[in-house]
Amino acid sequence: MIDRALAVAVARAGEPGGIRFTERQLYYELCRVLRPADWIPKRPRFTVAPAVGYPAFRAALDRFGAVPGLLSEAELAPRRAPAGRHTAEPDLFHYGLPRVLVCQRQEIAGMLRANGMPMESACPVFGLDELPLDPRLTAMMSTVDGTIYYLHDASPEALALGRTITAPPRVRVLPLGLRPRQAAAMHLVRGRGPEGRFAEVASVNPAMLLRFTHRLVRDVPADRPQWNGLRRARSLGFLTWPRR
């Protein structure tokens, strides 16, 4: 049963259009296939216990073979090279940079980069492991009163890590979520750690995560025409437009 469900999860994780995804995202997609709860209205609010243990998932993944769309460890590894290494423009750092996205989880940063977010939203993406930011980037942000967006898991520890992000003058740090109340409204799969229950950003469907993150960092107004899934998720509170 797990093997059949995994085949469905692989297809769903890559929809639409061949989205790249992490192993952790695929695990949560498998849990949704085996124990669907995202169709349930936001009230009552609750998170969902994992439908399968991670060792059983890994065993099924080994039996599955090559997974289309699955990102490798090398693709998700932190990047240490200096900013601007792929372009030869001498005046690259003379422009303003309005936004940067910092992800608590390095693999989420790698997933967003692999799906073209830095180019499509003109928003460089980093993981906490790749901080501090290049001083040339922060200088670009200071010239336009830029924003460092912080995407984190729903746990006290994850939110506290955001306070370690240092911003230069005229640049603010703005958390996007995920918060426990939001995770419960979306009925995400939960985990349990020393501080109690938590929910990972990886438990959000990959396409949904990409769509919402793109819209938020580009500051798309909330009164634009809405896709049904976006309307529902905004009502839940996850990745909603932050208050200015």
Side-chain angles (χ1 to χ4, degrees), residues 140-223:
M140 293 169 70
M141 299 186 74
S142 293
T143 62
V144 291
D145 298 342
T147 300
I148 299 174
Y149 293 98
Y150 175 51
L151 182 61
H152 59 85
D153 293 344
S155 73
E157 178 187 9
L159 190 57
L161 285 172
R163 302 188 188 103
T164 67
I165 300 174
T166 57
R170 302 175 61 182
V171 175
R172 61 178 176 170
V173 178
L174 188 62
L176 293 182
L178 183 65
R179 297 180 183 273
R181 184 172 178 273
Q182 298 162 350
M186 297 180 74
H187 310 311
L188 297 180
V189 177
R190 65 175 177 261
R192 182 176 289 277
E195 297 184 349
R197 293 179 177 178
F198 64 90
E200 298 181 25
V201 168
S203 63
V204 180
N205 171 267
M208 185 178 291
L209 178 62
L210 276 170
R211 184 185 297 269
F212 297 160
T213 310
H214 273 302
R215 287 176 178 262
L216 283 168
V217 300
R218 289 182 298 192
D219 200 21
V220 177
D223 58 356

Side-chain angles (χ1 to χ4, degrees), residues 43-61:
R43 295 185 183 278
R45 298 179 187 272
F46 61 89
T47 51
V48 181
V52 61
Y54 211 83
F57 159 70
R58 285 289 305 133
L61 195 60

Side-chain angles (χ1 to χ4, degrees), residues 28-176:
Y28 285 119
E29 200 66 45
L30 174 62
C31 289
R32 271 190 291 274
V33 172
L34 292 171
R35 189 175 293 164
D38 52 343
W39 57 272
I40 300 174
K42 65 177 182 178
R43 295 185 183 278
R45 298 179 187 272
F46 61 89
T47 51
V48 181
V52 61
Y54 211 83
F57 159 70
R58 285 289 305 133
L61 195 60
D62 290 340
R63 293 191 297 271
F64 190 92
V67 177
L70 183 64
L71 289 158
S72 67
E73 291 185 7
E75 291 174 298
L76 299 175
R79 296 180 178 178
R80 304 299 184 188
R85 64 190 181 282
H86 295 306
T87 180
E89 286 80 359
D91 60 347
L92 174 65
F93 297 102
H94 296 174
Y95 296 92
L97 179 64
R99 52 190 170 263
V100 162
L101 177 65
V102 174
C103 303
Q104 175 207 350
R105 301 274 184 174
Q106 184 63 46
E107 59 267 28
I108 294 297
M111 178 265 183
L112 294 174
R113 289 193 295 233
N115 287 288
M117 183 175 170
M119 291 295 296
E120 292 181 24
S121 289
C123 178
V125 179
F126 300 92
L128 280 180
D129 293 343
E130 297 169 321
L131 300 186
L133 295 174
D134 189 313
R136 294 172 298 175
L137 291 182
T138 54
M140 293 169 70
M141 299 186 74
S142 293
T143 62
V144 291
D145 298 342
T147 300
I148 299 174
Y149 293 98
Y150 175 51
L151 182 61
H152 59 85
D153 293 344
S155 73
E157 178 187 9
L159 190 57
L161 285 172
R163 302 188 188 103
T164 67
I165 300 174
T166 57
R170 302 175 61 182
V171 175
R172 61 178 176 170
V173 178
L174 188 62
L176 293 182

